[in-house]
Amino acid sequence: MPPLNTRWDIFCTVVDNYGDIGVTWRLARQLVSEQAMTVRLWVDDLRAFERLCPEIDISLDQQWQQGVEVRHWPAEWQEVEAADVVIAAFACQLPSVYMDAMAAREKPPLWMNLDYLSAEDWVVGCHGLPSVKYKSVQKYFFFPGFQPGTGGLLRESGLLERRQQFQQDPEAQRQFLHGLGIDPAPGAQLISLFAYENAGLASWLDVLAADSTPTHLLVPEGRILGDVARWLGVESLAIGATHVRQALTVQVLPFVRQDQYDQLLWCCDFNAVRGEDSFVRAQWAGRPMLWHIYQQDEDIHLDKLDAFLALYTKRLSPAAAEAMNGLWRAWSAGRPIGDHWLEARKHWPELQENARAWCLEQALQADLATALVQFYRNWI
Ligand code: TRH
C-alpha cells in the first residue's frame, strides 16, 4: 500500500458542461473515502460544481466537502507545495508556478494526465506510457477504458450492490421519485433524457406518443429542453412542467445531486445519456441505454462511438445488434430515430439482458481510483 496520507492534487478546468467536474469530483471523493488519500481538487469554475454538489460555496477559495479540500483555481496562481501525485484531468494545462513547485520537490511527484474515455483499441497500447517531461518530472498517460489493460471506469465500492437493492425495492423507488415530484401512472415505462440539442428527438417523441404503452419521460433541465418544447408546441419549459400528449407524459426535472441522478437512472427502464460521466453511470444502472456522444472536430467522435458499439453489442444477436447500432448512430448524428426505436423495442428482453451482462463484465475490472493507486504503488 502507498503510505497513508499520500497527497494528491487533481486539476480540473471546466471546459463546458458538467463532465469535467463530474468525473474529477467523483474521483476525488473516492480517493479520500476508499483509498485514504489526502486530496485537493483545484477547480476553475465553482458554479458548474455547485450544480452537482449544492453545498459548494462559490465565494470560497478553500473549503472541505466530503473530506476533499476544494480549492478555487485562481487566475493569479499563488505558490503552493506540490503534492505526491498530480493529476491533470482531460489534458488541462497546469499553472507554470505549480510545475516549478513539482520540479523543486526532492522526490518528483507522479504526474499523470487523466485522459478522455474511449473504447478504441489504441487506448490499451497507450495507457500508462510516459508522455512529456518538465525538468525532472515525467508525465504519464492514464486512460480510462472498457478493456483489460486500461485504467478502467470510475465505480464506487458497493455501487452495484446498492443499485441492485434499490432496483429490487419498488417502495424505495416510489418514494425517491415522489420526492422529486414524479408520480408515474401504473404500467408506464420510465425514460430519462439527458442529451445535447438533437434534431432527431421529434421522431422519437412521435412514436412514444402514438405507442400503446404509456411512457413517462423525465427530462433534467438542460440543452435538449428547447427541442422538447418545440415538439410540445410550447414556448418554454420550466422545472416541474408536465405535459401529456397521447400516451406520452413529459416532465421537466431540476438538475439533481450526482447521487440522486444515479438513483434516477436506476429507476428508469431506459436512459438516454451524454458526454462521459452520465454515460458510465447509465452502464452501472444495468438498463438499456442510448448515448449522445460529445461531438468532436472532424467527426472523430464517430470512431469512438463505433468502437464502443462493437464491444457493447458483441453478445447480441445480429438483428438486435443492428437495431442498437442503428439507433445509437442515428441519435448521435441528429437523424430521426422513431423507426430505430421501434426496431429496438422488438429485441427488448435481449437488450435488457445485454445491459445487465455488460455491467457485470465491466465490474470485473479494477475501478479507476483503485487502478490509479495501483499505478502509483508500482511507480514508487
Ligand atoms: O455535461 P456533459 O456533456 O459533460 C462533458 C463535457 O461536455 C466535457 O467537456 C466533455 O469532455 C465530456 O462531457 C465528454 O456530460 P457528462 O459527462 O455526462 O456530465 C454530466 C454530469 O452531471 C455527470 O457527472 C452527471 C451529472 N448530473 C447530475 O449530477 N445531476 C443531474 O440532474 C444530471 C442530469 C447530471
Side-chain angles (χ1 to χ4, degrees):
M1 283 290 287
L4 288 183
N5 281 330
T6 300
R7 290 175 305 127
W8 295 57
D9 269 331
I10 302 176
F11 286 85
C12 170
T13 51
V14 176
V15 178
D16 57 2
N17 305 313
Y18 306 106
D20 314 284
I21 183 60
V23 166
T24 49
W25 172 227
R26 212 180 270 297
L27 171 64
R29 275 180 295 168
Q30 217 186 323
L31 285 171
V32 168
S33 66
E34 296 176 22
Q35 304 288 343
M37 302 294 148
T38 301
V39 180
R40 273 190 306 208
L41 173 58
W42 298 88
V43 186
D44 65 348
D45 177 0
L46 292 178
R47 281 181 197 281
F49 197 170
E50 191 191 18
R51 300 299 304 280
L52 285 72
C53 174
E55 290 79 31
I56 289 291
D57 183 339
I58 58 168
S59 68
L60 295 180
D61 286 336
Q62 180 184 33
Q63 58 194 295
W64 275 264
Q65 298 289 349
Q66 301 185 36
V68 176
E69 181 182 347
V70 175
R71 296 289 289 263
H72 186 221
W73 181 340
E76 289 294 316
W77 187 267
Q78 305 295 316
E79 249 177 63
V80 294
E81 211 184 310
D84 306 308
V85 185
V86 178
I87 296 184
F90 305 116
C92 72
Q93 180 65 40
L94 301 188
S96 57
V97 183
Y98 188 87
M99 306 248 290
D100 285 332
M102 291 201 297
R105 280 175 54 112
E106 200 179 322
K107 179 172 172 28
L110 171 60
W111 177 26
M112 284 178 282
N113 180 50
L114 176 59
D115 238 289
Y116 289 97
L117 173 62
S118 173
E120 291 161 294
D121 283 339
W122 60 263
V123 166
V124 178
C126 293
H127 172 60
L129 290 185
S131 164
V132 293
K133 220 172 173 182
Y134 180 73
K135 297 182 180 169
S136 57
V137 193
Q138 177 68 57
K139 187 175 179 180
Y140 293 88
F141 293 110
F142 194 95
F143 281 92
F146 305 93
Q147 308 202 60
T150 68
L153 302 173
L154 279 169
R155 186 184 78 249
E156 296 81 1
S157 161
L159 177 77
L160 298 194
E161 291 76 7
R162 286 196 296 284
R163 188 265 285 175
Q164 266 154 9
Q165 213 170 19
F166 187 74
Q167 286 180 338
Q168 284 162 7
D169 187 344
E171 182 53 23
Q173 291 175 56
R174 194 197 63 74
Q175 279 181 22
F176 167 75
L177 292 170
H178 183 73
L180 291 177
I182 306 162
D183 295 295
Q189 63 174 347
L190 270 188
I191 298 181
S192 76
L193 172 60
F194 183 49
Y196 307 113
E197 298 79 359
N198 197 319
L201 177 70
S203 64
W204 189 20
L205 301 187
D206 285 342
V207 299
L208 291 176
D211 203 346
S212 54
T213 306
T215 298
H216 199 116
L217 182 72
L218 302 166
V219 194
E221 223 194 327
R223 290 173 52 177
I224 191 88
L225 274 191
D227 293 311
V228 178
R230 243 184 312 285
W231 182 80
L232 287 167
V234 298
E235 234 163 66
S236 62
L237 283 168
I239 293 169
T242 303
H243 294 268
V244 181
R245 299 287 183 275
Q246 299 162 265
L248 175 63
T249 302
V250 177
Q251 183 170 359
V252 180
L253 302 185
F255 205 88
V256 292
R257 319 170 51 87
Q258 240 182 1
D259 46 349
Q260 288 182 307
Y261 181 60
D262 270 342
Q263 288 178 294
L264 183 74
L265 297 173
W266 299 350
C267 287
C268 287
D269 301 293
F270 185 77
N271 293 299
V273 288
R274 71 182 204 192
E276 183 155 323
D277 193 50
S278 56
F279 171 52
V280 172
R281 303 317 280 186
Q283 291 168 55
W284 297 138
R287 297 266 161 90
M289 58 185 278
L290 175 60
W291 185 27
H292 198 178
I293 190 170
Y294 185 76
Q295 304 247 326
Q296 288 176 283
D297 292 341
E298 294 166 26
D299 281 350
I300 54 172
H301 59 283
L302 297 181
D303 293 336
K304 275 185 171 182
L305 182 72
D306 283 347
F308 180 78
L309 277 168
L311 295 179
Y312 186 70
T313 62
K314 64 178 187 284
R315 271 186 209 86
L316 293 173
S317 64
E322 200 184 318
M324 275 306 264
N325 278 293
L327 179 66
W328 282 41
R329 288 194 184 126
W331 184 238
S332 276
R335 293 196 306 267
I337 62 162
D339 289 344
H340 294 292
W341 171 254
L342 292 173
E343 199 50 43
R345 290 294 299 181
K346 291 183 192 158
H347 306 281
W348 209 245
E350 201 183 333
L351 297 181
Q352 287 175 313
E353 183 44 41
N354 185 58
R356 277 192 290 270
W358 172 257
C359 174
L360 293 178
E361 179 191 324
Q362 287 304 310
L364 294 176
Q365 280 205 87
D367 68 90
L368 190 131
T370 302
L372 274 169
V373 172
Q374 186 61 48
F375 193 85
Y376 176 58
R377 199 182 293 170
N378 296 342
W379 178 80
I380 42 177

